[in-house]
Structure formats: C-alpha cells, structure tokens
C-alpha cells in the first residue's frame, strides 16, 4: 500500500472533519464530529508525514515527533470538546 503524502493526508483530514460535522448536523448527534477529530489524530500518529520544509529545519526524527504530537492534540480536541448540535 502506498503511503500518503502530507498534502494528501491533510486533505483527507479536512474531508473527514467536514463529513463528521455534516453527519453531526444531519443526525443531531455531536459524537460524529468528535469521532472525526479522533480518527484524524490517529491518522497522524500512525502515519506521521510532514512537509519537507519541517524536515530540513528540525530533522527527520523531530519532524515525526512533532506530527505525532499534532495527532495527540487532535485526539484531545475530539475527547474534550463537546459538539452540541
């Protein structure tokens, strides 16, 4: 399976969050938006892709770590934010 690039993964995440928000508004259940944020965060933890500019400025190891931290922040947003629709 081909790995996603940073741009593709960012686009998939945006589509995922829009889809989760659309489902939340359609079914009046805010849990869909929370699940979308959690899945988006897990996507960055499992596949920590990063832009080349970040790799050149921080190094590959720190760039991967920063993307995993970004994924954790997305998961925290999904767990702590209550989307009432």
């Amino acid at each position: 399976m081909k790995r996603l690039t940073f741009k593709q993964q960012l686009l998939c995440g945006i589509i995922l969050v829009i889809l989760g928000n659309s489902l939340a508004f359609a079914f009046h259940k805010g849990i869909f938006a929370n699940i979308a944020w959690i899945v988006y965060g897990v996507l960055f933890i499992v596949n920590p892709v990063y832009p080349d500019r970040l790799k050149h400025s921080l190094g590959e190891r720190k760039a991967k770590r920063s993307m995993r931290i970004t994924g954790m922040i997305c998961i925290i947003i999904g767990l702590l934010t209550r989307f009432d629709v």
Side-chain angles (χ1 to χ4, degrees):
M1 187 168 116
K2 187 178 163 186
R3 291 180 62 111
L4 294 173
T5 64
F6 179 73
K7 194 174 195 178
Q8 291 170 338
Q9 188 163 325
L10 197 63
L11 184 63
C12 287
I14 291 169
I15 291 170
L16 184 67
V17 170
I18 290 172
L19 182 66
N21 285 330
S22 299
L23 288 173
F25 287 128
F27 295 117
H28 300 288
K29 301 286 182 188
I31 192 75
F32 290 115
N34 294 76
I35 291 172
W37 277 100
I38 292 170
V39 170
Y40 186 41
V42 168
L43 189 63
F44 267 108
I45 290 174
V46 172
N47 186 29
V49 292
Y50 44 84
D52 289 332
R53 183 176 56 190
L54 188 64
K55 178 183 173 184
H56 294 301
S57 64
L58 294 179
E60 186 172 353
R61 186 171 173 221
K62 286 185 180 181
K64 280 185 180 180
R65 186 182 318 148
S66 66
M67 287 296 110
R68 287 194 170 119
I69 290 171
T70 303
M72 288 182 216
I73 291 171
C74 290
I75 291 173
I76 289 170
I77 288 171
L79 292 175
L80 295 180
T81 306
R82 184 175 169 150
F83 292 105
D84 288 331
V85 180

